[in-house]
Each structure stands twice: as structure tokens, then as C-alpha cells.
Amino acid sequence: MMDDVDVTCMKTVETFRHHPLIPKDVVVSGWIWEVETRRLRPPVLDDEKRARTDVTSAQFGVTTPQPNRWR
């Protein structure tokens, strides 16, 4: 689990895009699978575009933020 899948996805895509072993003509993209809505969508930073479901992690017993993995 991660605190923000959209940001994590964007950072991962950028890491692959700039990796020296991946040719520049290779298309690298990332997508978010929303289990709650059974929908595939591109990562976005706009909260309104993301907030299309009323499901939260707290409903599943997750009450604390996940550790920061990008430092």
C-alpha cells in the first residue's frame, strides 16, 4: 500500500522514462486500476478527478499513513 498511488505511479513512470537502458523511442505509461469502480484511469493530481468513489482506506482498518518510500 502507498499513501498516494497517483504520485507513486507518476514517479515510477518518470524513473523508467529516464532510465539509461530503456531506449527513448519506447513508450512508457502508467495506469491506476480502481478496484472499487473496476475502472482503469491515468494518474492525475486533481483531487476532484480522483474522488469518484466514497471508499477510503479507513474502512479496511488502515488508519496510519504508509512510510515514505521516496526519500
Side-chain angles (χ1 to χ4, degrees), residues 34 39 41 44-53:
E34 293 180 342
R39 178 172 79 110
R41 65 170 178 79
V44 294
L45 294 177
D46 184 3
D47 288 335
E48 287 185 28
K49 289 182 180 177
R50 293 197 252 185
R52 296 183 180 167
T53 178

Side-chain angles (χ1 to χ4, degrees), residues 6 13 25 34 39-40 47 50 53 65-68:
D6 292 77
V13 167
D25 61 336
E34 293 180 342
R39 178 172 79 110
L40 188 65
D47 288 335
R50 293 197 252 185
T53 178
Q66 295 296 313
N68 190 341

Side-chain angles (χ1 to χ4, degrees), residues 10-68:
M10 288 182 213
K11 287 181 179 182
T12 302
V13 167
E14 285 306 306
T15 299
F16 281 107
R17 281 186 182 153
H18 295 97
H19 195 281
L21 296 178
I22 297 179
K24 298 297 179 200
D25 61 336
V26 172
V27 176
V28 179
S29 64
W31 297 86
I32 308 295
W33 175 254
E34 293 180 342
V35 176
E36 305 86 4
T37 61
R38 297 181 184 174
R39 178 172 79 110
L40 188 65
R41 65 170 178 79
V44 294
L45 294 177
D46 184 3
D47 288 335
E48 287 185 28
K49 289 182 180 177
R50 293 197 252 185
R52 296 183 180 167
T53 178
D54 58 354
V55 177
T56 65
S57 56
Q59 293 169 308
F60 300 97
V62 179
T63 56
T64 59
Q66 295 296 313
N68 190 341

